[in-house]
Structure formats: structure tokens, C-alpha cells
Amino acid sequence: MFDSQDVINYLLIISRKMASHIVGYPRMGPKRELKFALESFWDGKSSADDLQKVATDLRCSIWKQMTDVGIKYIPSNTFSYYDQVLDATAMLGAVPERYNYTGGEIGFDIYFSMARGNASVPAMEMTKWFDTNYHFIVPELGPNTKFSYSSHKAVSEYKEAKALGIETIPVLIGPVTYLLLSKPAKGVEKSFAPLSLLESILPIYKEVIAELKAAGASWIQFDEPTLVLDLESHQLEAFTKAYTELESSLSGLNVLIETYFADVPAEAYKIITALKGVSGFGFDLIRRAKTLDLVKSAGFPAGKYLFAGVVDGRNIWANDLASSFSTLQALEAIVGKDKLVVSTSCSLMHTAVDLVNETKLDNEIKSWLAFAAQKVVEVNALAKALAGQKDEAFFSANAAAQSSRKSSPRVTNEEVQKAAAALKGSDHRRATNVSARLDAQQKKLNLPILPTTTIGSFPQTMDLRRVRREYKANKISEEEYVKAIKEEINKVVKLQEELDIDVLVHGEPERNDMVEYFGEQLSGFAFTVNGWVQSYGSRCVKPPIIYGDVSRPKAMTVFWSKMAQSMTARPMKGMLTGPVTILNWSFVRNDQPRFETCYQIALAIKKEVEDLEAAGIQVIQIDEAALREGLPLRKSEQAFYLDWAVHSFRITNCGVQDTTQIHTHMCYSNFNDIIHSIINMDADVITIENSRSDEKLLSVFREGVKYGAGIGPGVYDIHSPRIPSTEEIADRINKMLAVLETNILWVNPDCGLKTRKYAEVNPALTNMVSAAKVLRTQLASTK
């Protein structure tokens, strides 16, 4: 028998020997070295050559390490300076007119202008990559979009690996998925279907394929994850049309179509497995089991490869090797030994890099985990077991870890489970309707029309990060830490008063991350030191690990909120992260339904809300930035999710007084299709991303949806360094006033300001407040 120390020691020995520092299979995500290189380049502190050198070193290092581990199918063109969809836009030369692209190879200036905007034009829309916390830049297309082969990145990276003696599989976003993820460009009719451009982009794909063949590629992978969605018949037919058109170009190549994040529906499975010229298909066998059932019941085309995603690419729990091995044996009987490829369920860019780097996790919890490097080991172990080379010691250590996790007393808290079970039978709505509550709140808060606020965080300076880092390392005392944070809060409060913002925030200087901060103070959570995961561009996060039942041992934010409120006579928001966002931005335990964990978190946040109210905080914001992100990809599963997610939010604030104003915040997702669920959350005020997405949120109100609570659609994009003018912001507010009542409209940025610099924040907020005042004057003169 193995105890937890034996298990972790054995697993780490194997990892050091076979998979040290591997980023992932089948895809790699930028490491933090690239984050710092990008930010240095954007700040003008380093050159394009410097950035490219860092990127090249990282790519080559990863390819070599994957070769050393023994991975047979090594990907290339999975590295990105921002995101892989933007890379495809560059490849196709599909640059919106406002960036003044005149042809030729797309360089960093055009590329990063599309991603981040520049001094004269805004960035393209950014939204979530399916139901993950990764983001992508949404392509803007129209009937007059001109396509040209404008980025040779896929071929260059293949050649780069080949020069090292490493054969790779170049990976491209598939043509149909690219178009289905696109939107009509500005000025184009909203009814325009980007899929109508399929015949226009296929010639570019043919050019790329021809160059890859000439360079010696033997495999090519097309990522077509939209195949897991509920597609209409004409959308499914586009896959047949695309790959039939590409068939002659692909002749002589092995072609893999990869899907992930959900089951492939039966009709989609039927269509893609019938495609000629395609050598293999990759399926996510972790998130639901219907695809596995399809393979067993509907059969699998003879002579084709099945890339079986049996190792979870999106979570950090060690694989149940015995269960996966059983699944693979069943598949082997269907597709044949030489046609079955063991794989992860999706890219490992969604998980942390290497468990070996985690020196502060205790051994028991560590034995339950597998980061990207360990998942590569699991893939290899399963593949070798299928080949008759089963590592019995490794499988035994894995079984011991599985057993330890199931029986550990630290996982279960009966009191928490009883409290969560008692939630059934109530919808936890506040007793008074939102209109009456807003009246009561206005009498107490006495806010002007078009009240101004920000979303929560203010710039995280290097000095501020240093203070937090030194406090965690015990290099400064608690007294010194509190003094430094207090000074920062006072600075932020005074700045907001000088700007004449109506409802203030304390700037969150004590928080590195909105989820990590709360998880550190809740039971049932564990934390990493180096478990970084990319969110977008240079933005990386360290998701907490929820391993057990969740409760709140003590107040988490009351001390700082009371301190901040004592510095001003203006309303100061208490700032919390909501239960659904904490859930969706964590690595969540997989041994109970997600909604049960969410209800536990909701009860913990409820206690914090009540303590804030008792401390005299009149406005409490409970962010649910990730509520839309967790929406299941299949429509048949969405109603159930929205029911428990919205219910969880209502649990947090159902007991507060009518005069306590509850805010929530959402960002960077498509909200139009869940607007009725947003209304059902019953918040008093919602601030919501709007400007980055071309104000498409407003279309639901133009179409007749009535919204009676306070609402603040964002008036400028905080993920761009660009500073909007007063006139531009006023124009946005006027568009909102055309569809929303004056007495419910708030004025605020799209999101928090932590990623910006004060040199950008100060003038942007100055212009925002000025725009609100101009419109107040205009509205007063028309009465």
C-alpha cells in the first residue's frame, strides 16, 4: 500500500524523469516569460527582435522537451502572441479597414492594434473561447472583406521545429469554425452570415496547405470545436463543403479534425466521420460520454485514426488510470490497435504547467493532482499500457491517490452539506420588488441622474505588488502591510473624489486576483505558487483548487471596506466575487455536481454580505463576471445551469434591507441570449461590458426587452491603452439613453482598471465624468 507521501514522491520522480516543464499536449500556452516580454514590448522597453527571441526560445524548448518525453504527435503553430483566432485572422489577411492595413506580411503593429487598439482606433471585440476563461479576438467580416495570405506563421513554425530535427503537426483553426466564430463588421448588416464567405477563404487555406506540404509536413490538424454546438443543417453542410473542396489539396497528408469541450452531436458525428480525405478525428471523452456511446453504437470508419481524449485537459485532478485504460481497451476493440491514439481531451493551455514547481502544496492534496507535465506522463502511461508495457507501480500509485481522495476527512464537512441541502424549497428572492428598493435606496444615497462609478480595481503598481509579495514572504510585518495598503486606499479614494465620481471603490490593493483572494480565506480551497494559466494576451491567472466542502471561517473584506468608507462621505462599495464566478474561475472538484459546490460558496458569500451591511456598507457589489462563461454549449443543458447559477447569486443577498443596494458585474461574453436570466438575478444595479462588443448589448433593449433595475453598460474599453474622448463617451451614453430610462442608467467603464496605468486611467475617468455631467446638463435643460 502507498500512503500520500509515497504516492507524491513516486509521481514526482516519474515527472522529473519524463516530463519536466512540458507545457502541454496537444497545445501549448504562453508561459509567464512571454507575459513579461509582451508587456516590456508594449511599454517600449524592448524591441520586436527581443520579443521574437523570447518566443522562439520558448517554442524550441517546449518542442525539445516534448520529444524527450516521447510524445509522437507534437503540435506546432499553437504558440500565439495573443490568441489563435487572431492568428487565423492575420493568416487570412482579414484586417478591418480602420487599421489601414495595405497588404503584405502582417507585423506586430497591425496585429496588436487589432488586439489592443491604438491611439486612434479601438480594438476588436474580445469574448470567451467557448465555455472557458480563455479569450479570443472576434473576427469582423463582411461581403467586401478581401482575403490574402498575410501571415506565414504556421509554415515558419513548422520549419523552425524541423530545423531542430523535430517533426510536428501544424495546427490551424478550421475554416468553418473560424467563420462561425466571426461577426459582421462595423457598417455591415447584422443579418450578414460570415459563413457565406467560405469559398473566399478556402483558397488561402489551400496556399497554406501547399506550403506545409512543400516543407515536408506529413500531418495537419484542423481544430473544429464548433462541431460540438447545436448547429443548423446548413452549418453542418459547410463542413462537408469545406473539406470536399480541400480534399485534393490535402492529398498525401494525414488530416486530423479535432473537437473538444463537449460531446459531438449524432448528426455532426455522422457528417464528419463520412468525410473523405480525413485520416483521423479527435474527441473529448471527458466532458460527457455521448460521443463514446456514438463510437460504440454508430461505429467508426474503418482505417481512420481515433484521437481519444481520455485525460482531462481542463482540470487538474489526476486521471483515474484504471477507468481510462478500460475505456481505451473498449475503443481499441472497435478501431484497432494501430489506429487508436491516446490524447488529452483538449489543449493543456487551460491547466497549470508542472506540479513539480509546487513546493508549498501539502503532500496529500498534491497526490490528487496532475498539471500539464503530469498529464503528458499519464498519456504516455496509458499508451504504453495499451502496448503491453504497463507500469504497474505507476498504476498502483495512481489507484492509491484516487482512494486517498475519496476517503480523506478533509474533503467532507457535514455541517456545510446540511446547510446547502436546506436551500431546497426556496427561491431566495428579496421580499420587495426592485422598483420599490431603488426608491428606498435613492432616498438614502441621494445620487444624481447618470451616477458614475468604476467596477472595482484600480491600477496594480509595481510597488503595490512588491508590498503584497513581501508580506506573503514574511519580509514585512502585518502592521507595515496594513499601513501600506491603507495609504494606497486613501490615494484611490482621494483620486475618485477629485474626479467627482459618485459611488466609490477602494481599488482592491490587497488583492492580486478577484477569485484567489476569496479562495485563500475560504475552507475547502488550496493554492499554487506557480499554477499560472493564460486568460488572454499577457493576462495570466492562478485558479484556486476547490478540493472539499466550502465554508467561511471569518470575515474576508469587512476590515478594508470599513476603512475605505471612513475616508469619505460618499458611498463606498463593498467588493465581493460572486459564487458562480468563484466556481467557474477555479479548478473545481469533480467528485460532486458543480451546483452543489456553488451553493456552498453562495452561503459563504451570504455571510460576508450580511457582515458588510452590519458594518454600515450601503452598496455591495457581488461580481458575476463569469456567469455567462459557464453556460453549457448545448441548449438542452442551459436551462438547468441558469436556474442554479441565478439561484446561487440570489442566495448571497436575499436577506439584506431594501436600502442596501446590491450591484453585480459581468464582462466579455455574449449576454443577449441570457438577458432574461440576468433580469431574474434581481440585482439592484448591473454594470456590464458593452463598448468592446460594439454596444450589441443595447440591441436587446431596442428589441423590446424591459429592464427595470439600474444598469451601467460600459462606456469605454479598459483592456486597451486607448483613452476615449469626452465626446466619444457622451455619444455612447446617448445611444444608451435612446433605449434605457434616464433614472436607471449608470455611467462606468467596461471592467476593472487593474491592468491599466494611472497615466491612462486618470484622463479616461476624467472624460467619463465630464461626459456624464454634460448630459446631465442637457437633460435638465429639456425638462
Side-chain angles (χ1 to χ4, degrees), residues 117-159:
N118 58 43
S120 58
V121 291
M124 295 167 69
E125 179 183 354
M126 181 171 70
T127 195
K128 298 294 177 71
W129 178 244
F130 293 82
D131 58 348
T132 75
N133 190 30
Y134 184 70
H135 299 65
F136 73 95
I137 302 299
V138 182
E140 301 175 13
L141 306 177
N144 298 319
T145 300
K146 293 181 173 59
F147 298 99
S148 61
Y149 187 11
S150 303
S151 171
H152 293 67
K153 175 178 175 295
V155 178
S156 297
E157 289 188 16
Y158 173 78
K159 289 180 176 179

Short mmCIF file of all heavy atoms in Angstrom, two decimals, residues 117-159:
data_model
loop_
_atom_site.label_atom_id
_atom_site.label_comp_id
_atom_site.label_asym_id
_atom_site.label_seq_id
_atom_site.Cartn_x
_atom_site.Cartn_y
_atom_site.Cartn_z
N GLY A 117 -6.14 47.81 -29.72
CA GLY A 117 -6.43 49.17 -30.14
C GLY A 117 -5.15 49.99 -30.17
O GLY A 117 -4.07 49.54 -29.80
N ASN A 118 -5.27 51.23 -30.63
CA ASN A 118 -4.15 52.16 -30.56
C ASN A 118 -4.69 53.56 -30.28
O ASN A 118 -5.88 53.71 -29.98
CB ASN A 118 -3.30 52.10 -31.85
CG ASN A 118 -4.11 52.39 -33.10
OD1 ASN A 118 -4.93 53.33 -33.12
ND2 ASN A 118 -3.90 51.61 -34.15
N ALA A 119 -3.87 54.56 -30.41
CA ALA A 119 -4.28 55.92 -30.01
C ALA A 119 -5.46 56.43 -30.82
O ALA A 119 -6.23 57.27 -30.34
CB ALA A 119 -3.09 56.87 -30.14
N SER A 120 -5.64 55.93 -32.03
CA SER A 120 -6.67 56.49 -32.90
C SER A 120 -7.88 55.59 -33.12
O SER A 120 -8.97 56.08 -33.43
CB SER A 120 -6.07 56.86 -34.26
OG SER A 120 -5.48 55.71 -34.87
N VAL A 121 -7.72 54.29 -32.96
CA VAL A 121 -8.85 53.39 -33.23
C VAL A 121 -8.97 52.34 -32.13
O VAL A 121 -7.97 51.93 -31.53
CB VAL A 121 -8.71 52.67 -34.61
CG1 VAL A 121 -8.86 53.65 -35.75
CG2 VAL A 121 -7.39 51.93 -34.70
N PRO A 122 -10.20 51.88 -31.86
CA PRO A 122 -10.41 50.88 -30.80
C PRO A 122 -10.02 49.48 -31.25
O PRO A 122 -9.89 49.19 -32.44
CB PRO A 122 -11.91 50.97 -30.53
CG PRO A 122 -12.50 51.43 -31.83
CD PRO A 122 -11.48 52.36 -32.42
N ALA A 123 -9.87 48.61 -30.26
CA ALA A 123 -9.56 47.20 -30.52
C ALA A 123 -10.79 46.49 -31.07
O ALA A 123 -11.92 46.99 -31.02
CB ALA A 123 -9.11 46.53 -29.23
N MET A 124 -10.58 45.31 -31.61
CA MET A 124 -11.67 44.44 -32.00
C MET A 124 -12.31 43.83 -30.75
O MET A 124 -11.71 43.84 -29.67
CB MET A 124 -11.15 43.34 -32.94
CG MET A 124 -10.63 43.88 -34.27
SD MET A 124 -9.68 42.66 -35.22
CE MET A 124 -10.96 41.51 -35.70
N GLU A 125 -13.50 43.29 -30.91
CA GLU A 125 -14.20 42.70 -29.78
C GLU A 125 -13.44 41.49 -29.24
O GLU A 125 -12.83 40.72 -29.99
CB GLU A 125 -15.61 42.26 -30.19
CG GLU A 125 -16.39 41.61 -29.06
CD GLU A 125 -17.75 41.10 -29.47
OE1 GLU A 125 -18.16 41.35 -30.63
OE2 GLU A 125 -18.41 40.45 -28.65
N MET A 126 -13.47 41.34 -27.93
CA MET A 126 -12.87 40.17 -27.27
C MET A 126 -13.98 39.43 -26.54
O MET A 126 -14.80 40.04 -25.86
CB MET A 126 -11.80 40.61 -26.27
CG MET A 126 -11.10 39.47 -25.57
SD MET A 126 -9.66 40.03 -24.60
CE MET A 126 -10.46 40.93 -23.29
N THR A 127 -14.01 38.11 -26.67
CA THR A 127 -15.02 37.33 -25.97
C THR A 127 -14.42 36.00 -25.54
O THR A 127 -13.27 35.67 -25.86
CB THR A 127 -16.27 37.14 -26.85
OG1 THR A 127 -17.36 36.70 -26.03
CG2 THR A 127 -16.04 36.11 -27.95
N LYS A 128 -15.21 35.23 -24.79
CA LYS A 128 -14.71 33.97 -24.23
C LYS A 128 -14.64 32.87 -25.28
O LYS A 128 -15.48 32.77 -26.16
CB LYS A 128 -15.62 33.52 -23.07
CG LYS A 128 -15.66 34.49 -21.89
CD LYS A 128 -14.33 34.59 -21.19
CE LYS A 128 -14.34 35.61 -20.06
NZ LYS A 128 -15.12 35.18 -18.91
N TRP A 129 -13.61 32.05 -25.15
CA TRP A 129 -13.40 30.89 -26.02
C TRP A 129 -14.29 29.75 -25.52
O TRP A 129 -13.97 29.08 -24.55
CB TRP A 129 -11.93 30.51 -26.00
CG TRP A 129 -11.50 29.32 -26.78
CD1 TRP A 129 -10.97 28.17 -26.27
CD2 TRP A 129 -11.49 29.15 -28.20
NE1 TRP A 129 -10.64 27.30 -27.27
CE2 TRP A 129 -10.95 27.87 -28.48
CE3 TRP A 129 -11.89 29.95 -29.27
CZ2 TRP A 129 -10.80 27.38 -29.78
CZ3 TRP A 129 -11.75 29.47 -30.56
CH2 TRP A 129 -11.21 28.20 -30.80
N PHE A 130 -15.46 29.62 -26.15
CA PHE A 130 -16.45 28.62 -25.75
C PHE A 130 -16.79 28.83 -24.27
O PHE A 130 -17.11 29.94 -23.87
CB PHE A 130 -15.97 27.22 -26.10
CG PHE A 130 -15.89 27.02 -27.60
CD1 PHE A 130 -14.79 27.46 -28.33
CD2 PHE A 130 -16.93 26.43 -28.29
CE1 PHE A 130 -14.73 27.31 -29.71
CE2 PHE A 130 -16.88 26.28 -29.68
CZ PHE A 130 -15.79 26.73 -30.38
N ASP A 131 -16.72 27.80 -23.45
CA ASP A 131 -17.09 27.97 -22.04
C ASP A 131 -15.86 27.95 -21.13
O ASP A 131 -15.88 27.40 -20.04
CB ASP A 131 -18.10 26.89 -21.62
CG ASP A 131 -17.58 25.47 -21.81
OD1 ASP A 131 -16.53 25.30 -22.48
OD2 ASP A 131 -18.20 24.52 -21.30
N THR A 132 -14.78 28.58 -21.61
CA THR A 132 -13.54 28.66 -20.82
C THR A 132 -13.29 30.11 -20.41
O THR A 132 -13.96 31.02 -20.87
CB THR A 132 -12.33 28.16 -21.63
OG1 THR A 132 -11.96 29.16 -22.60
CG2 THR A 132 -12.63 26.85 -22.35
N ASN A 133 -12.26 30.32 -19.60
CA ASN A 133 -11.84 31.66 -19.22
C ASN A 133 -10.76 32.19 -20.16
O ASN A 133 -10.18 33.24 -19.92
CB ASN A 133 -11.33 31.68 -17.77
CG ASN A 133 -11.11 33.09 -17.27
OD1 ASN A 133 -11.78 34.04 -17.69
ND2 ASN A 133 -10.15 33.27 -16.37
N TYR A 134 -10.49 31.48 -21.23
CA TYR A 134 -9.60 31.97 -22.27
C TYR A 134 -10.42 32.88 -23.19
O TYR A 134 -11.62 32.69 -23.36
CB TYR A 134 -9.03 30.78 -23.06
CG TYR A 134 -8.00 31.16 -24.11
CD1 TYR A 134 -6.74 31.61 -23.75
CD2 TYR A 134 -8.29 31.04 -25.47
CE1 TYR A 134 -5.80 31.94 -24.71
CE2 TYR A 134 -7.35 31.36 -26.43
CZ TYR A 134 -6.10 31.81 -26.05
OH TYR A 134 -5.18 32.13 -26.99
N HIS A 135 -9.79 33.91 -23.75
CA HIS A 135 -10.49 34.87 -24.59
C HIS A 135 -9.92 34.84 -26.01
O HIS A 135 -8.76 34.48 -26.21
CB HIS A 135 -10.32 36.29 -24.06
CG HIS A 135 -10.86 36.51 -22.68
ND1 HIS A 135 -10.35 35.88 -21.56
CD2 HIS A 135 -11.87 37.30 -22.23
CE1 HIS A 135 -11.01 36.28 -20.48
NE2 HIS A 135 -11.94 37.13 -20.87
N PHE A 136 -10.73 35.26 -26.96
CA PHE A 136 -10.22 35.42 -28.32
C PHE A 136 -10.77 36.70 -28.94
O PHE A 136 -11.78 37.25 -28.49
CB PHE A 136 -10.55 34.21 -29.20
CG PHE A 136 -12.01 34.09 -29.61
CD1 PHE A 136 -12.45 34.59 -30.83
CD2 PHE A 136 -12.92 33.45 -28.79
CE1 PHE A 136 -13.78 34.46 -31.21
CE2 PHE A 136 -14.25 33.32 -29.16
CZ PHE A 136 -14.69 33.83 -30.38
N ILE A 137 -10.06 37.20 -29.94
CA ILE A 137 -10.45 38.41 -30.67
C ILE A 137 -11.39 37.99 -31.80
O ILE A 137 -11.03 37.18 -32.65
CB ILE A 137 -9.22 39.14 -31.22
CG1 ILE A 137 -8.26 39.52 -30.09
CG2 ILE A 137 -9.66 40.39 -32.00
CD1 ILE A 137 -8.83 40.43 -29.04
N VAL A 138 -12.60 38.55 -31.78
CA VAL A 138 -13.65 38.13 -32.71
C VAL A 138 -13.40 38.72 -34.10
O VAL A 138 -13.31 39.94 -34.26
CB VAL A 138 -15.03 38.58 -32.21
CG1 VAL A 138 -16.13 38.11 -33.16
CG2 VAL A 138 -15.29 38.06 -30.79
N PRO A 139 -13.29 37.87 -35.14
CA PRO A 139 -13.09 38.39 -36.50
C PRO A 139 -14.29 39.23 -36.95
O PRO A 139 -15.43 38.92 -36.63
CB PRO A 139 -12.98 37.11 -37.35
CG PRO A 139 -12.58 36.04 -36.38
CD PRO A 139 -13.25 36.39 -35.10
N GLU A 140 -14.02 40.32 -37.67
CA GLU A 140 -15.05 41.19 -38.22
C GLU A 140 -15.03 41.06 -39.75
O GLU A 140 -14.07 41.46 -40.38
CB GLU A 140 -14.78 42.65 -37.84
CG GLU A 140 -14.72 42.91 -36.35
CD GLU A 140 -14.32 44.34 -36.03
OE1 GLU A 140 -14.32 45.19 -36.96
OE2 GLU A 140 -13.99 44.62 -34.86
N LEU A 141 -16.10 40.51 -40.29
CA LEU A 141 -16.12 40.21 -41.71
C LEU A 141 -17.35 40.81 -42.38
O LEU A 141 -18.36 41.08 -41.73
CB LEU A 141 -16.11 38.69 -41.93
CG LEU A 141 -14.99 37.90 -41.25
CD1 LEU A 141 -15.17 36.42 -41.50
CD2 LEU A 141 -13.62 38.38 -41.72
N GLY A 142 -17.25 40.99 -43.68
CA GLY A 142 -18.37 41.50 -44.46
C GLY A 142 -18.27 41.01 -45.89
O GLY A 142 -17.28 40.38 -46.29
N PRO A 143 -19.29 41.30 -46.70
CA PRO A 143 -19.28 40.81 -48.09
C PRO A 143 -18.12 41.36 -48.91
O PRO A 143 -17.73 40.76 -49.92
CB PRO A 143 -20.64 41.28 -48.64
CG PRO A 143 -21.06 42.39 -47.73
CD PRO A 143 -20.51 42.06 -46.38
N ASN A 144 -17.55 42.48 -48.48
CA ASN A 144 -16.45 43.09 -49.24
C ASN A 144 -15.08 42.84 -48.61
O ASN A 144 -14.09 43.43 -49.04
CB ASN A 144 -16.69 44.60 -49.37
CG ASN A 144 -17.96 44.92 -50.13
OD1 ASN A 144 -18.28 44.27 -51.13
ND2 ASN A 144 -18.71 45.91 -49.65
N THR A 145 -15.03 41.99 -47.60
CA THR A 145 -13.74 41.67 -46.97
C THR A 145 -12.82 41.03 -47.99
O THR A 145 -13.21 40.08 -48.68
CB THR A 145 -13.91 40.73 -45.77
OG1 THR A 145 -14.75 41.36 -44.80
CG2 THR A 145 -12.57 40.40 -45.13
N LYS A 146 -11.61 41.55 -48.11
CA LYS A 146 -10.62 41.00 -49.03
C LYS A 146 -9.67 40.11 -48.25
O LYS A 146 -9.08 40.52 -47.26
CB LYS A 146 -9.86 42.12 -49.73
CG LYS A 146 -10.72 42.96 -50.68
CD LYS A 146 -9.89 44.04 -51.35
CE LYS A 146 -10.70 44.77 -52.42
NZ LYS A 146 -11.91 45.40 -51.86
N PHE A 147 -9.52 38.88 -48.70
CA PHE A 147 -8.65 37.92 -48.03
C PHE A 147 -7.35 37.75 -48.82
O PHE A 147 -7.36 37.76 -50.06
CB PHE A 147 -9.35 36.57 -47.89
CG PHE A 147 -10.60 36.61 -47.05
CD1 PHE A 147 -11.85 36.67 -47.65
CD2 PHE A 147 -10.52 36.61 -45.67
CE1 PHE A 147 -13.01 36.71 -46.88
CE2 PHE A 147 -11.67 36.66 -44.89
CZ PHE A 147 -12.92 36.71 -45.50
N SER A 148 -6.25 37.60 -48.10
CA SER A 148 -4.96 37.33 -48.73
C SER A 148 -4.08 36.60 -47.73
O SER A 148 -4.24 36.77 -46.51
CB SER A 148 -4.29 38.63 -49.17
OG SER A 148 -4.05 39.47 -48.05
N TYR A 149 -3.18 35.82 -48.21
CA TYR A 149 -2.28 35.05 -47.35
C TYR A 149 -1.28 36.03 -46.75
O TYR A 149 -0.31 36.42 -47.39
CB TYR A 149 -1.60 33.98 -48.19
CG TYR A 149 -0.75 32.98 -47.43
CD1 TYR A 149 -0.78 32.88 -46.04
CD2 TYR A 149 0.08 32.09 -48.13
CE1 TYR A 149 -0.01 31.95 -45.37
CE2 TYR A 149 0.85 31.15 -47.47
CZ TYR A 149 0.81 31.09 -46.09
OH TYR A 149 1.57 30.16 -45.42
N SER A 150 -1.50 36.42 -45.50
CA SER A 150 -0.79 37.56 -44.93
C SER A 150 0.01 37.25 -43.67
O SER A 150 0.62 38.15 -43.09
CB SER A 150 -1.78 38.69 -44.62
OG SER A 150 -2.49 39.06 -45.80
N SER A 151 -0.01 36.01 -43.23
CA SER A 151 0.85 35.61 -42.12
C SER A 151 1.28 34.17 -42.37
O SER A 151 0.44 33.28 -42.47
CB SER A 151 0.12 35.71 -40.77
OG SER A 151 0.91 35.11 -39.75
N HIS A 152 2.59 33.97 -42.47
CA HIS A 152 3.14 32.64 -42.76
C HIS A 152 3.59 31.93 -41.50
O HIS A 152 4.47 31.06 -41.53
CB HIS A 152 4.29 32.78 -43.76
CG HIS A 152 3.86 33.24 -45.12
ND1 HIS A 152 3.36 34.50 -45.35
CD2 HIS A 152 3.82 32.60 -46.32
CE1 HIS A 152 3.05 34.63 -46.64
NE2 HIS A 152 3.31 33.49 -47.24
N LYS A 153 3.00 32.30 -40.39
CA LYS A 153 3.39 31.79 -39.09
C LYS A 153 3.34 30.26 -39.01
O LYS A 153 4.25 29.62 -38.48
CB LYS A 153 2.48 32.41 -38.02
CG LYS A 153 2.67 31.90 -36.61
CD LYS A 153 1.74 32.65 -35.66
CE LYS A 153 1.80 32.09 -34.25
NZ LYS A 153 1.30 30.70 -34.15
N ALA A 154 2.27 29.65 -39.54
CA ALA A 154 2.11 28.20 -39.45
C ALA A 154 3.27 27.47 -40.13
O ALA A 154 3.83 26.50 -39.58
CB ALA A 154 0.79 27.77 -40.07
N VAL A 155 3.65 27.96 -41.29
CA VAL A 155 4.74 27.34 -42.04
C VAL A 155 6.08 27.64 -41.38
O VAL A 155 6.94 26.75 -41.25
CB VAL A 155 4.73 27.82 -43.50
CG1 VAL A 155 5.90 27.21 -44.27
CG2 VAL A 155 3.41 27.46 -44.17
N SER A 156 6.26 28.87 -40.93
CA SER A 156 7.53 29.26 -40.30
C SER A 156 7.81 28.43 -39.06
O SER A 156 8.94 27.98 -38.84
CB SER A 156 7.50 30.75 -39.95
OG SER A 156 7.39 31.54 -41.11
N GLU A 157 6.77 28.22 -38.25
CA GLU A 157 6.99 27.46 -37.01
C GLU A 157 7.21 25.98 -37.30
O GLU A 157 7.98 25.31 -36.60
CB GLU A 157 5.82 27.67 -36.05
CG GLU A 157 5.79 29.07 -35.46
CD GLU A 157 4.76 29.25 -34.37
OE1 GLU A 157 4.25 28.23 -33.84
OE2 GLU A 157 4.45 30.41 -34.05
N TYR A 158 6.55 25.46 -38.34
CA TYR A 158 6.81 24.07 -38.72
C TYR A 158 8.28 23.91 -39.14
O TYR A 158 8.97 22.98 -38.71
CB TYR A 158 5.89 23.64 -39.86
CG TYR A 158 6.26 22.28 -40.40
CD1 TYR A 158 5.89 21.12 -39.72
CD2 TYR A 158 7.02 22.15 -41.55
CE1 TYR A 158 6.27 19.87 -40.18
CE2 TYR A 158 7.40 20.90 -42.03
CZ TYR A 158 7.03 19.76 -41.34
OH TYR A 158 7.41 18.53 -41.80
N LYS A 159 8.75 24.86 -39.96
CA LYS A 159 10.14 24.79 -40.43
C LYS A 159 11.12 24.97 -39.27
O LYS A 159 12.19 24.35 -39.23
CB LYS A 159 10.39 25.88 -41.49
CG LYS A 159 9.71 25.62 -42.82
CD LYS A 159 10.01 26.75 -43.80
CE LYS A 159 9.43 26.48 -45.18
NZ LYS A 159 9.70 27.62 -46.12
#
